[in-house]
Amino acid sequence: MNQKLYMVSLGPGDVELLTLKALNAFKNCDAICVPTKSKDNTFAKSISHKIVTDALKLLDIEKVIIPVYSPMNFDKQDWINEANILIESSKKYDTICFVTLGDAAIYSSIYYLLDILKERDKTLYSHCEIIAGVTSFSAASARVQKPLCLGDEQLFIRPINPRSDVKTTEILMRPKIGMDTKELGEGDFYTFENMNLENEKITPFKIEKVKKYMTLFLKFAKRD
Ligand SMILES: C[S@@+](CC[C@H](N)C(=O)[O-])C[C@H]1O[C@@H](n2cnc3c(N)ncnc32)[C@H](O)[C@@H]1O
């Protein structure tokens, strides 16, 4: 079997904010796994289902839809059950999608599911691709025509009801060419140079000197 799992970011509710990559994943897959908070696996209240349905209509295609009961209780057993649905679905269908609202990098359960897949189905884990999307706050900023950061401002994303100590991921942008990166501190750094462009380089640590303006650093929160 030629397994493939796409973790598809759906954007914040408007089908026109889906990426071409997301639409291509829908075109190429055999089934789409869609979260629902309803115990009876119906989709009456599912925003994700509405976006997926709109996208399939736009593409004029039909796909098998697999409900994934996702009560959003932040409970490991729920994530295990959800991951099991992905594992079982991938035994039946070569290419499957799992969808998540907004962008997958922002408070999405997909990384909890991936941790479980890594333990339980290494092959499926290694055949997973995450498709980035538009975040709710990018779309919100555009709707009111107000930028999130300008000039020397910085941007905070704050969980309103944290369950434990709040850890921070830093996004470091707009470096000076030739600058020494010592001042950025130490931590779990990645460096992205010319991402998606010619001469792309992604380094799993902090480079010492900045060579290009199109350089972005991510300093990930310390996770166990
Ligand atoms: C679990 S987080 C998911 C965030 C999402 N992955 C993103 O990229 O924006 C859910 C929170 O995102 C915000 N959110 C997501 N979509 C939204 C929308 N369409 N309108 C308003 N807030 C939204 C709300 O603060 C909501 O409580």
Side-chain angles (χ1 to χ4, degrees):
M1 251 181 122
N2 236 341
Q3 278 185 329
K4 180 88 191 176
L5 165 62
Y6 291 104
M7 293 294 199
V8 181
S9 301
L10 290 178
D14 177 350
V15 71
E16 290 190 36
L17 290 176
L18 272 169
T19 62
L20 274 180
K21 266 191 198 283
L23 293 180
N24 282 333
F26 290 160
K27 267 193 216 160
N28 295 334
C29 74
D30 303 299
I32 306 174
C33 299
V34 180
T36 173
K37 277 189 259 176
S38 304
K39 259 198 182 124
D40 60 1
N41 275 344
T42 57
F43 291 113
K45 289 185 207 142
S46 167
I47 305 169
S48 304
H49 185 258
K50 162 94 174 60
I51 304 170
V52 170
T53 308
D54 288 350
L56 295 179
K57 249 188 228 153
L58 194 81
L59 293 169
D60 199 18
I61 54 173
E62 285 182 11
K63 293 287 165 174
V64 174
I65 301 289
I66 300 168
V68 179
Y69 177 52
S70 314
M72 291 187 46
N73 291 333
F74 226 77
D75 181 338
K76 178 140 193 208
Q77 190 53 51
D78 292 333
W79 294 325
I80 292 173
N81 297 342
E82 291 171 45
N84 282 342
I85 295 176
L86 299 187
I87 292 169
E88 288 311 310
S89 304
S90 72
K91 286 182 187 151
K92 226 166 138 191
Y93 303 100
D94 273 356
T95 302
I96 59 169
C97 291
F98 178 76
V99 296
T100 186
L101 286 173
D103 175 54
I106 308 291
Y107 302 126
S108 165
S109 64
I110 71 144
Y111 285 95
Y112 301 113
L113 302 189
L114 284 176
D115 280 348
I116 295 161
L117 288 186
K118 199 176 182 176
E119 280 172 21
R120 297 189 168 209
D121 191 335
K122 282 199 170 32
T123 314
L124 185 58
Y125 176 79
S126 66
H127 290 108
C128 170
E129 182 180 334
I130 298 170
I131 298 179
V134 177
T135 65
S136 53
F137 48 85
S138 302
S141 150
R143 282 291 286 274
V144 296
Q145 299 197 15
K146 281 174 92 71
L148 294 177
C149 24
L150 275 181
D152 291 335
E153 297 164 0
Q154 57 181 350
L155 170 70
F156 281 103
I157 302 173
R158 231 180 68 199
I160 297 174
N161 296 298
R163 295 168 188 82
S164 54
D165 286 353
V166 176
K167 297 169 184 164
T168 303
T169 288
E170 287 179 42
I171 305 167
L172 299 139
M173 306 174 76
R174 292 171 57 214
K176 278 223 156 63
I177 295 174
M179 74 172 267
D180 191 314
T181 61
K182 265 196 202 103
E183 65 186 78
L184 304 182
E186 297 305 321
D188 182 10
F189 269 96
Y190 274 73
T191 309
F192 302 80
E193 295 167 277
N194 281 0
M195 188 178 47
N196 298 326
L197 308 171
E198 213 179 311
N199 302 322
E200 169 185 280
K201 196 168 173 205
I202 299 176
T203 317
F205 51 81
K206 186 181 65 171
I207 57 165
E208 283 177 15
K209 254 195 185 2
V210 172
K211 289 172 242 111
K212 303 174 182 85
Y213 179 66
M214 283 302 171
T215 300
L216 164 77
F217 300 93
L218 291 184
K219 185 183 173 189
F220 288 99
K222 256 197 179 152
R223 302 183 182 117
D224 314 320

